[in-house]
Amino acid sequence: PVPRPLAGRHVLVTAGPTHEPIDPVRYIANRSSGKQGFAIAGALAALGARVTLVAGPVTLATPAGVDRVDVETAREMAAAVDAALPADVAVLVAAVADWRAEAPAGQKIKKGADTPTLTLAENPDILAGLARSDRRPSLLIGFAAETEHVIDHARAKLARKGCDWIVANDVSGNVMGGALNRVHIITADGVETWDEAPKDAVARKLAERISDAL
Ligand code: C5P
């Protein structure tokens, strides 16, 4: 029989971008394919976990054995995460937009003499909110996509967000939308640097690491 070390555990994963509407045809978003987060959800399910995957707008197939909740905006993602609690572990991989348009237009904004000005409002920080919550998962993992000073920025993020691990992603190369990833695992104990590997191999290794930590 296949070992299922995460049987009986509930793991929450967020993945993909969020889309913040400007009007019915335009939006603000971060670059994110969702591939790494979907692979992590699938790898955790393969180890026997019950997995809730809160997914932003991506066209990827749902991994086997994963319960998927589709959302569009950061505020919808925050509500879906809240609705999925309690969880033993949360792995927040989503590239959430930091800002939304304060007052999205109900109709398409037409080009005219004046260039429109966009007023932004800050989105909720789902990871930091979960870290402070009285339903905080006992293992809370954030991601950090950085283009420089990857480890220093990730260490600062670990402290600022109040999570247990940061998976720091060096996105200075071709990571965005690509098949390979190069990550560092930052914890209170130090830094582990993993060799560049396919995103599904990174996902399997992370799922094993999570299973060992529980
Ligand atoms: O601050 P930054 O966006 O770099 O932090 C990245 C980490 O925080 C990721 O784990 C991401 O999913 C999470 N995050 C979040 N809500 C936000 C912004 C980021 O959960 N509004």
Side-chain angles (χ1 to χ4, degrees):
V2 184
R4 293 168 63 83
L6 291 177
R9 306 285 193 167
H10 181 213
V11 185
L12 177 58
V13 179
T14 67
T18 63
H19 285 182
E20 311 297 332
I22 295 170
D23 69 17
V25 301
R26 305 181 178 95
Y27 60 80
I28 301 169
N30 288 12
R31 278 185 209 284
S32 170
S33 68
K35 285 178 189 168
Q36 186 64 81
F38 272 57
I40 289 166
L44 289 160
L47 294 186
R50 176 165 79 84
V51 178
T52 304
L53 171 61
V54 180
V58 294
T59 53
L60 300 172
T62 307
V66 168
D67 295 322
R68 174 174 180 175
V69 181
D70 284 313
V71 298
E72 188 93 12
T73 67
R75 288 188 295 175
E76 288 168 11
M77 184 171 278
V81 162
D82 194 63
L85 295 173
D88 301 292
V89 182
V91 191
L92 302 195
V93 194
V96 182
D98 291 311
W99 303 280
R100 64 180 181 274
E102 188 179 61
Q107 303 297 329
K108 183 180 177 186
I109 300 166
K110 303 305 288 178
K111 251 200 281 191
D114 297 324
T115 301
T117 302
L118 203 53
T119 303
L120 301 178
E122 199 169 324
N123 271 331
D125 189 314
I126 301 165
L127 177 58
L130 203 48
R132 287 190 304 264
S133 151
D134 52 11
R135 293 190 295 167
R136 184 193 193 281
S138 59
L139 181 57
L140 180 56
I141 304 173
F143 266 65
E146 303 289 353
T147 57
E148 58 174 4
H149 309 301
V150 178
I151 290 169
D152 285 349
H153 284 159
R155 270 211 192 92
K157 197 160 290 183
L158 184 76
R160 194 167 66 242
K161 302 263 189 175
C163 55
D164 301 305
W165 304 355
I166 286 277
V167 180
N169 222 354
D170 186 338
V171 295
S172 57
N174 264 331
V175 166
M176 296 287 187
L180 296 178
N181 208 355
R182 216 175 99 74
V183 304
H184 312 269
I185 310 295
I186 285 98
T187 71
D189 299 331
V191 181
E192 253 177 61
T193 296
W194 293 359
D195 291 339
E196 183 171 69
K199 287 180 178 173
D200 50 2
V202 171
R204 281 195 298 273
K205 192 164 170 179
L206 185 66
E208 296 282 354
R209 188 82 162 60
I210 288 169
S211 168
D212 290 346
L214 292 181

